[in-house]
């Protein structure tokens, strides 16, 4: 009896120890997976990953090849201290100060095992946070004044290297982790703590390849890149002298840089320009006399602009090479460039104001300004204001137009923005758009394409924006619900992801040849291609459904991914690869090319790459203090010894009784 009682006592003690670590109801634990699910809480989050360039690394990674496990501590003030290596739970408004402190305080840095950033609302739109620099991508500027603060709120924290994992939490995960950190605070010096387990091991860390050249050689990374898209309105017939007109090129970008790979915090501004351009194309597509205009309208949406102007630079290189991706146009045909930058709604003004940043003071650039101002007057009661940017600015703000200027200093172009001398967070981080921006762009392009002809005012006034299309594009490109699952996107493509839209450029996987039918392209690029092909098209003679290529030259298949197939239309819409001009795919691998002095932007190109990884994971669970573990072990040994003695005494007693009988 003594042995049985001791064994029962040991079992009870073990169950008592395990019970606090299990968060679920014991009655529902019907299998080992149920037990694991109850003990471990997987956290929805978005990682900061390791990126590399020719001179080193930025971003985040575990310091070695092992997982990191550390207790969760919430910091609310920049002066808070850590008493042991910890997982730091951080309010979003403390992010800049915290990472600057980490970079400047080695002792504090050593106690940071990992960082969890709390979500700040449905869109994570941090009004006062810009992790970019004060002059984003200043090395590419076509002027010498690199000290101008275009982005006064910029902290530059995203360009530093951190040898610990960092994750942005979802809203639900934020609430869960705040409760967990409170439990840790209440049970301070107790036997149990809630810890975070990070699995953020980058292959470049394991392979000891710490720059782009070495990691590409060892194949532990891939170059950043994707696909840009361009289209003409009306379509251009290949080889036809009839359409060799001067080109009015309207451009914008579709990507943005962010501290977190798949979550863009406060950098939605480029997408407002994309929305304005797409809506302007839709408005112009309803005009019937575009073939009679003196200039050809061409639209280009560049990818990878936030990482060394990859899209615009590659586009210009393709033009120089006469590549198939730009068949029908060449650089000599480009007469004027109009870039739609950040045109988010000016929330503090009753009526929107836009600023025109011109490249130089040429007569052609002045004509673009005149066209924009004429278009604003034609909008009448909308009271849209167009102003010339301050002459004290050093030049155009960070923009794709810089690529064109560095390529040809005589380029005539402007950038349309909602700021004058510097970014304002109210605008720069706003994803709200205004139909006035699209209407202004559409009418201005019509005026420019009319050249010196008398503008048909009746036609000009018929160029109106579909307000519901603006609202739909905002929902598709800038919100999680519906996001890319919206009806408009799904009418053209089958999205590969149902999660929140990501404006990160991604990586270029393999051979870039055959760009008109890429084996992969991100959801946004595929949607933009199909949208532009549809809006700039005329119906082909063959109206049967298609699932890929169309039979006749000049035709493309719109909506090929949609169930039931797409339709063939006549359209000059093409993909253009977007990756660094300093890399080349050869012998089934990527290689870094030497700098070419004739390409000034290539000389300063960092050649960004992204590390491979196996898995990325973050989970939370409870553990005991090691002292308590030793106590349990000691108690277990004592119980075992007592049980042994009890069994030994019991057997002797039973043996004695049997002999007596």
């Amino acid at each position: 009896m003594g042995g049985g009682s001791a064994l029962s006592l040991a079992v009870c003690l073990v169950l008592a120890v395990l019970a606090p670590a299990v968060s679920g109801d014991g009655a529902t634990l019907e299998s080992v997976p149920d037990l694991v699910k109850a003990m471990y809480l997987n956290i929805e989050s978005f990682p900061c990953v390791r990126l590399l360039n020719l001179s080193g690394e930025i971003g985040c990674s575990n310091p070695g090849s092992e997982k990191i496990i550390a207790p969760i501590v919430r910091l609310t003030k920049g002066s808070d201290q850590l008493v042991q290596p910890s997982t730091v739970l951080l309010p979003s408004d403390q992010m800049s100060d915290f990472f600057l402190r980490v970079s400047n305080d080695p002792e504090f840095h050593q106690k940071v095992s990992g960082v969890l950033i709390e979500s700040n609302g449905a869109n994570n739109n941090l009004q006062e946070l810009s992790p970019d620099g004060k002059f984003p991508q200043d090395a590419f500027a076509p002027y010498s004044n690199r000290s101008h603060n275009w982005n006064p709120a910029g902290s530059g924290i995203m360009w530093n290297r951190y040898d610990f994992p960092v994750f942005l939490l979802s809203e639900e995960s934020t609430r869960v982790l705040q409760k967990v950190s409170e439990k840790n605070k209440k049970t301070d010096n107790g036997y149990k703590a809630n810890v975070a387990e990070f699995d953020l091991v980058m292959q470049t860390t394991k392979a000891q390849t710490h720059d782009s050249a070495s990691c590409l050689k060892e194949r532990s990374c891939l170059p950043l890149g994707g696909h840009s898209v361009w289209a003409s309105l009306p379509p251009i017939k290949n080889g036809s002298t009839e359409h060799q007109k001067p080109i009015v090129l309207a451009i914008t970008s579709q990507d943005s840089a962010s501290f977190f790979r798949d979550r863009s915090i406060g950098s939605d501004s480029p997408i407002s320009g994309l929305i304005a351009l797409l809506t302007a194309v839709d408005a112009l597509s309803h005009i019937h006399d575009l073939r009679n205009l003196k200039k050809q309208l061409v639209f280009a949406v560049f990818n990878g602009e936030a990482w060394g102007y990859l899209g615009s630079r590659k586009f210009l290189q393709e033009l120089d090479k006469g590549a198939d991706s730009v068949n029908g146009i060449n650089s000599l045909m480009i007469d004027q460039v109009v870039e739609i930058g950040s045109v988010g709604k000016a929330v503090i003004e009753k009526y929107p104001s836009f600023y025109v940043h011109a490249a130089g003071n040429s007569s052609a650039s002045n004509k673009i300004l005149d066209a924009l101002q004429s278009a604003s007057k034609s909008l009448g009661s909308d009271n849209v204001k167009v102003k010339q940017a301050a002459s004290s600015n050093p030049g155009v703000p960070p923009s794709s137009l810089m690529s064109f200027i560095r390529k040809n200093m005589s380029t005539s172009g402007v950038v349309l923005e909602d700021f004058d001398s510097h970014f304002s967070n109210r605008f720069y981080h706003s994803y709200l758009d205004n139909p006035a921006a699209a209407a202004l762009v559409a009418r201005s392009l019509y005026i420019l394409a009319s050249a010196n002809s008398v503008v048909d005012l009746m036609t000009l006034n018929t160029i109106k924006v579909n307000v519901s299309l603006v609202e739909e594009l905002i929902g598709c490109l800038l919100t999680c619900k519906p996001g890319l699952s919206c009806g408009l996107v799904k009418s053209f493509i089958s999205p590969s992801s149902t999660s929140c839209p990501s404006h990160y450029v991604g990586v270029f996987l393999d051979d870039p040849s055959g760009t008109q039918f890429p084996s992969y392209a991100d959801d946004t690029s595929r949607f933009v291609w199909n949208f532009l092909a549809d809006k700039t098209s005329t119906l082909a003679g063959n109206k049967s459904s298609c699932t890929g290529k169309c039979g006749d030259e000049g035709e493309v298949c719109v909506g090929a991914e949609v169930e039931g197939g797409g339709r063939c239309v006549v359209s000059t819409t093409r993909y253009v690869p977007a990756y660094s001009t300093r890399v080349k795919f050869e012998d089934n691998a990527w290689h870094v090319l030497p700098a070419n002095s004739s390409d000034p932007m290539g000389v300063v190109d960092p050649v960004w790459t992204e590390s491979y990884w196996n898995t990325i994971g973050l989970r939370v669970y409870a553990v005991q203090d090691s002292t308590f573990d030793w106590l349990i072990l000691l108690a277990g040994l004592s119980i075992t010894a007592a049980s042994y003695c009890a069994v030994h005494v019991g057997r002797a007693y039973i043996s004695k009784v049997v002999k007596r009988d």
Side-chain angles (χ1 to χ4, degrees):
M1 293 295 293
S5 300
L7 186 59
S8 298
L9 177 61
V11 171
C12 291
L13 281 172
V14 171
L15 290 176
V17 172
L18 287 178
V22 180
S23 58
D25 182 356
T28 65
L29 303 181
E30 300 177 353
S31 63
V32 172
D34 286 343
L35 179 61
V36 171
K37 187 176 180 180
M39 293 176 64
Y40 297 100
L41 182 63
N42 291 313
I43 301 298
E44 182 185 10
S45 55
F46 308 90
C48 160
V49 301
R50 178 72 83 216
L51 300 178
L52 306 93
N53 57 33
L54 292 177
S55 58
E57 301 170 293
I58 69 167
C60 315
S61 176
N62 287 11
S65 58
E66 302 298 325
K67 296 179 180 180
I68 291 177
I69 301 172
I72 301 167
V73 177
R74 189 171 191 261
L75 297 185
T76 57
K77 295 182 295 184
S79 60
D80 286 354
Q81 297 295 326
L82 298 173
V83 297
Q84 62 178 327
S86 304
T87 298
V88 176
L89 179 62
L90 194 68
S92 54
D93 59 359
Q94 297 289 319
M95 186 173 171
S96 293
D97 291 341
F98 175 84
F99 282 99
L100 290 173
R101 181 183 177 188
V102 165
S103 299
N104 297 318
D105 186 345
E107 184 178 350
F108 180 72
H109 181 284
Q110 290 180 354
K111 293 181 179 178
V112 178
S113 297
V115 181
L116 303 174
I117 306 295
E118 297 175 351
S119 173
N120 192 56
N123 295 294
N124 293 305
N125 186 26
L126 302 185
Q127 296 295 326
E128 300 300 328
L129 169 64
S130 176
D132 209 334
K134 295 187 181 299
F135 191 146
Q137 305 194 86
D138 61 312
F140 294 96
Y143 43 82
S144 58
N145 182 359
R146 310 288 170 81
S147 61
H148 186 80
N149 288 346
W150 287 109
N151 185 27
S155 64
I157 60 173
M158 66 176 287
W159 304 109
N160 297 330
R161 165 181 165 170
Y162 306 102
D163 288 326
F164 50 76
V166 183
F167 285 80
L168 172 68
L169 301 173
S170 67
E171 289 183 82
E172 177 62 27
S173 295
T174 295
R175 289 190 287 268
V176 171
L177 267 296
Q178 285 174 344
K179 292 179 181 178
V180 167
S181 66
E182 282 298 312
K183 288 182 180 179
N184 277 356
K185 187 176 180 181
K186 291 177 180 178
T187 59
D188 192 24
N189 297 320
Y191 75 87
K192 185 167 66 72
N194 292 286
V195 300
E197 179 188 271
F198 298 95
D199 188 2
L200 187 72
V201 179
M202 301 287 105
Q203 290 301 305
T204 52
T205 300
K206 295 179 70 174
Q208 295 295 305
T209 51
H210 300 301
D211 59 67
S212 290
S214 62
C215 73
L216 287 175
K217 183 178 180 180
E218 296 298 324
R219 302 191 184 188
S220 61
C221 66
L222 284 170
L224 296 193
H227 292 83
S228 301
V229 179
W230 74 273
S232 66
L233 185 66
I236 298 173
K237 294 181 180 178
N238 293 339
S240 172
T241 56
E242 176 188 354
H243 290 276
Q244 297 298 311
K245 301 178 180 179
I247 288 174
V248 176
L249 179 64
I251 63 176
T252 192
S253 61
Q254 71 173 57
D255 74 295
S256 61
S258 172
F259 196 96
F260 301 97
R261 185 186 190 278
D262 298 314
R263 197 67 158 178
S264 181
I265 295 184
S267 28
D268 291 324
S269 57
I271 311 304
S272 66
L274 172 62
I275 291 171
L277 180 66
L278 296 180
T279 313
V281 173
D282 173 70
L284 288 166
S285 69
H286 300 290
I287 306 302
H288 300 294
D289 66 343
L290 293 178
R291 289 194 179 276
N292 299 325
L293 298 177
K294 292 189 175 182
K295 295 183 181 180
Q296 175 73 46
L297 290 175
V298 173
F299 311 95
V301 178
F302 296 130
N303 202 357
E305 295 301 274
W307 300 95
Y309 301 109
L310 301 178
S312 54
R313 289 172 50 220
K314 191 64 181 178
F315 176 77
L316 290 169
Q317 186 186 60
E318 295 282 278
L319 287 175
D320 287 346
K321 291 164 53 179
D324 289 342
S325 62
V326 290
N327 191 7
I329 59 175
N330 62 65
S331 56
L332 296 177
M333 297 165 60
I334 299 175
D335 186 54
Q336 294 164 314
V337 181
V338 180
E339 179 169 359
I340 301 95
S342 171
V343 289
K345 184 177 180 180
V347 295
I348 64 169
E349 297 184 24
K350 185 175 181 181
Y351 302 106
S353 294
F354 300 100
Y355 293 86
V356 180
H357 299 257
N361 192 28
S362 67
S363 59
S365 296
N366 291 334
K367 287 181 180 178
I368 303 176
L369 173 62
D370 292 341
L372 286 161
Q373 290 179 333
S374 296
S376 69
K377 291 177 182 177
S378 74
L379 292 172
S381 60
D382 289 343
N383 286 324
V384 179
K385 299 176 183 178
V386 173
K387 304 175 183 178
Q388 188 168 10
S391 59
S392 59
N393 291 345
V396 298
S399 57
S400 302
L401 185 59
M402 285 184 169
S403 297
F404 289 82
I405 298 172
R406 290 294 292 266
K407 180 72 176 177
N408 182 357
M409 294 300 291
S410 62
T411 298
S412 299
V414 304
V415 185
L416 186 68
E417 303 277 12
D418 55 15
F419 60 85
D420 187 358
S421 296
H422 52 79
F423 304 160
S424 169
N425 281 332
R426 287 188 302 271
F427 309 121
Y428 187 62
H429 297 308
S430 171
Y431 62 85
L432 299 176
D433 198 13
N434 190 301
L440 177 68
V441 170
R443 294 191 180 194
S444 300
L445 293 176
Y446 181 81
I447 293 171
L448 290 171
S450 300
N452 295 322
S453 303
V454 177
V455 176
D456 185 342
L457 295 179
M458 185 175 295
T459 302
L460 185 67
N461 289 328
T462 63
I463 302 177
K464 298 184 182 298
V465 168
N466 183 345
V467 178
S468 63
L469 176 61
V470 175
E471 295 172 349
E472 194 168 11
L473 285 169
I474 289 173
C476 296
L477 298 175
L478 289 173
T479 67
C480 294
K481 295 182 180 180
L484 293 176
S485 296
C486 69
L488 177 62
V489 170
K490 295 183 77 172
S491 68
F492 290 117
I493 69 169
S494 297
S496 60
S497 173
T498 57
S499 60
C500 300
S502 173
H503 306 313
Y504 176 65
V505 60
V507 293
F508 217 99
L509 295 176
D510 51 24
D511 190 350
S513 62
T515 54
Q516 295 321 299
F517 302 96
S519 57
Y520 68 94
D522 64 73
D523 290 342
T524 302
S525 295
R526 298 197 328 276
F527 165 67
V528 169
W529 186 95
N530 279 273
F531 183 94
L532 289 179
D534 179 58
K535 298 300 181 182
T536 62
S537 68
T538 57
L539 284 175
N542 180 10
K543 297 183 180 181
S544 60
S545 64
C546 55
T547 57
K549 296 182 181 180
C550 294
D552 296 337
E553 185 181 3
E555 293 183 4
V556 296
C557 182
V558 174
E561 299 177 34
V562 179
E563 185 177 353
R567 63 190 188 284
C568 289
V569 298
V570 176
S571 176
T572 311
T573 303
R574 296 189 176 91
Y575 288 109
V576 183
Y579 57 86
S580 172
T581 58
R582 290 279 307 277
V583 298
K584 182 179 181 180
F585 191 80
E586 193 173 50
D587 298 328
N588 205 34
W590 290 96
H591 306 274
V592 176
L593 300 174
N596 186 343
S597 58
S598 63
D599 179 12
M601 295 188 88
V603 171
V604 297
D605 186 351
V607 186
W608 289 107
T609 57
E610 178 187 296
S611 174
Y612 282 119
W613 62 79
N614 290 333
T615 58
I616 289 181
L618 169 63
R619 63 181 185 176
V620 172
Y621 54 90
V623 297
Q624 294 92 234
D625 182 83
S626 60
T627 302
F628 188 77
D629 290 338
W630 282 107
L631 290 174
I632 292 296
L633 177 61
L634 182 60
L637 292 174
S638 300
I639 292 171
T640 302
S643 299
Y644 176 80
C645 292
V647 169
H648 183 73
V649 171
R651 289 177 63 183
Y653 175 77
I654 293 172
S655 177
K656 185 177 182 179
V657 170
V658 169
K659 287 180 179 179
R660 184 183 303 157
D661 291 341

